[in-house]
Amino acid sequence: MNKALHLVPPAEPGLSRYASLAQALRARVIAGEWSPGSALPAESQLATEHSVALGTMRRALELLAEQGFIERIHGKGTFVRQGLSGATMLRFFRFDSGTGEVPVSRILQRSRVNAPAAVSRVLGIGTGEPVLRLHRLRLMGGQPRLFEELWLPLDLFEPLAEDDLSTWDDLLYPMFARRVQVHVHRALDDIGFAQLSASQARHLGLPAGHPCAQVQRSAYDLTGRCVELRITRGDAHAFHYTVNIT
Amino acid sequence: MNKALHLVPPAEPGLSRYASLAQALRARVIAGEWSPGSALPAESQLATEHSVALGTMRRALELLAEQGFIERIHGKGTFVRQGLSGATMLRFFRFDSGTGEVPVSRILQRSRVNAPAAVSRVLGIGTGEPVLRLHRLRLMGGQPRLFEELWLPLDLFEPLAEDDLSTWDDLLYPMFARRVQVHVHRALDDIGFAQLSASQARHLGLPAGHPCAQVQRSAYDLTGRCVELRITRGDAHAFHYTVNIT
DNA sequence: AAGTGGTCTAGACCACTCT
DNA sequence: GAGTGGTCTAGACCACTTG
């Protein structure tokens, strides 16, 4: 690849040099020039490639690191960030059963459906486009605790539509990365309050109409595409969350 | 004041020079050498005072800015941060009535009491120490929406214990800063769901036992002292909050 | 020992704010 | 125009990781 391609950074008007450098590098990452988990060239090499001072390239890389695109490890290198790790729904709930324990997952239902309007709007696909719909129960200490509905755009998740469910992992995101190369990079969790429908309540062993906390998550990959819509419900009395205000 | 006092930064073992500089500056801020809202010396002056390169001092100041201790304004200077601005409880609730509107406040009760154990533990004072307890109703569009209980350590808030309540502002934090020089710098909001007691429900015009969202806030000043404990309750169905996960 | 990112320096120049 | 923080450079040296 021609190293002289990336020159004279301030292409963008009104942007500092390091900011447009960061933008250029982000584009190279999104284009897949380096895949998640792999290393970028050393900062010194990137600096000469883009013919800027080392310090300027460092600022650009620091910016990308702040934004969660890359990860810098002293002595090892600079890496394209892997998918989210700490995205567990347990951040929102506190159950008596053992702490830190990963909830066991049981897929109750898997089907191809045409996306309802609300779902397709969030996923950014056409109404009626095919999606994979999952119903999933999560148990801790043998007790059913969370009930989840997921919608996944079928064009990305086709290989997971028909395979053996017993091979599925309790944690979905690492499996998504391994099986269909979908890396969840960012997520928005919308928290609200509702009451359990009869069928939801049955799965959780609670009475219908029981108060529940409801988390609607939309998850995005590196390119900003929405790759998952998930609604998680659990007993409202087990909900807790701490917000740090500064 | 002797400018030669602040020398040879790496006092702390295992800390980088800019990190210990930041620590030293933080100490000077907490000690009240510069009060909230006022300007620090120019970075060039601070650099020579502490006999480090300009770039090193900049890193230290950037660190303090990230942590919310100071605020840097291009062309104007570096300032000790004023109290929190966007700490409104409305971030947690969505009512039909006008958006952006500041809720009207009505103090229902004000009394000096001896802190119960749970309160004194959060406030970091001795059990039974005197505190100011407030009950406060917040209305939007004429409708009562939020019911709050507050506990304030009396040693800081004495002037607010007996004055004319009609002079109170709808927003407490700016008033705290103006009247008793208490600047809220940081807060922790603990969110949960519960049910309204009979008296809480009466104030909100809801039936007893109605589900409510409950926010327990502990607020801290620059020195890290807890200066307020507040519990806010509102209709659970009006609760919503969005968490960004990266 | 070689290669990586992290710290620190010294100095030039730019962009913004106020008077 | 004077004073502030923001950008950029060029180069030395340090600290961590791996073979």
Side-chain angles (χ1 to χ4, degrees), chain A residues 116-237:
Chain A
V119 170
S120 61
R121 206 175 310 119
V122 174
L123 289 178
I125 61 181
T127 305
E129 288 282 302
V131 295
L132 192 60
R133 187 186 66 184
L134 301 172
H135 286 186
R136 183 172 179 249
L137 197 59
R138 315 196 67 187
L139 306 91
M140 300 191 67
Q143 291 295 312
R145 294 303 194 180
L146 300 174
F147 177 73
E148 299 188 317
E149 304 174 70
L150 292 89
W151 288 267
L152 308 169
L154 199 56
D155 61 333
L156 292 175
F157 288 88
E158 183 67 53
L160 298 183
E162 306 279 0
D163 70 327
D164 181 1
L165 281 176
S166 70
T167 67
W168 282 38
D169 198 343
D170 285 337
L171 295 176
L172 293 181
Y173 291 169
M175 191 186 81
F176 289 173
R178 193 172 63 249
R179 297 279 305 277
V180 291
Q181 287 75 52
V182 168
H183 300 266
V184 172
H185 168 257
R186 204 173 75 79
L188 279 183
D189 284 345
D190 238 307
I191 305 171
F193 174 86
Q195 283 160 304
L196 291 172
S197 73
S199 75
Q200 291 159 3
R202 199 176 331 111
H203 290 125
L204 291 173
L206 294 168
H210 190 86
C212 71
Q214 175 175 313
V215 180
Q216 168 169 333
R217 162 173 300 178
S218 17
Y220 302 85
D221 68 9
L222 262 180
T223 72
R225 169 165 185 193
C226 184
V227 296
E228 177 196 66
L229 168 60
R230 179 193 307 211
I231 296 179
T232 301
R233 291 184 179 87
D235 187 344
H237 296 98

Side-chain angles (χ1 to χ4, degrees), chain A residues 35-64:
Chain A
S35 47
S38 70
L40 270 65
E43 57 185 29
S44 57
Q45 184 185 333
L46 284 173
T48 59
E49 265 187 40
H50 291 254
S51 45
V52 295
L54 190 63
T56 305
M57 181 53 74
R58 281 186 62 75
R59 294 248 0 208
L61 292 168
E62 278 160 13
L63 197 56
L64 291 178

Side-chain angles (χ1 to χ4, degrees), chain A residues 26-92:
Chain A
R26 189 186 302 117
R28 294 175 74 179
V29 167
I30 289 175
E33 186 161 343
W34 310 289
S35 47
S38 70
L40 270 65
E43 57 185 29
S44 57
Q45 184 185 333
L46 284 173
T48 59
E49 265 187 40
H50 291 254
S51 45
V52 295
L54 190 63
T56 305
M57 181 53 74
R58 281 186 62 75
R59 294 248 0 208
L61 292 168
E62 278 160 13
L63 197 56
L64 291 178
E66 268 175 34
Q67 297 171 345
F69 277 87
I70 61 176
E71 195 174 0
R72 318 200 71 196
I73 304 181
H74 192 173
K76 296 186 72 173
T78 301
F79 303 84
V80 179
R81 264 211 21 200
Q82 301 268 35
L84 286 184
S85 47
T88 166
M89 285 296 170
L90 286 183
R91 76 174 60 213
F92 295 125

Side-chain angles (χ1 to χ4, degrees), chain B residues 9-16 20 23:
Chain B
E12 310 305 321
L15 271 191
S16 56
S20 35
Q23 197 166 297

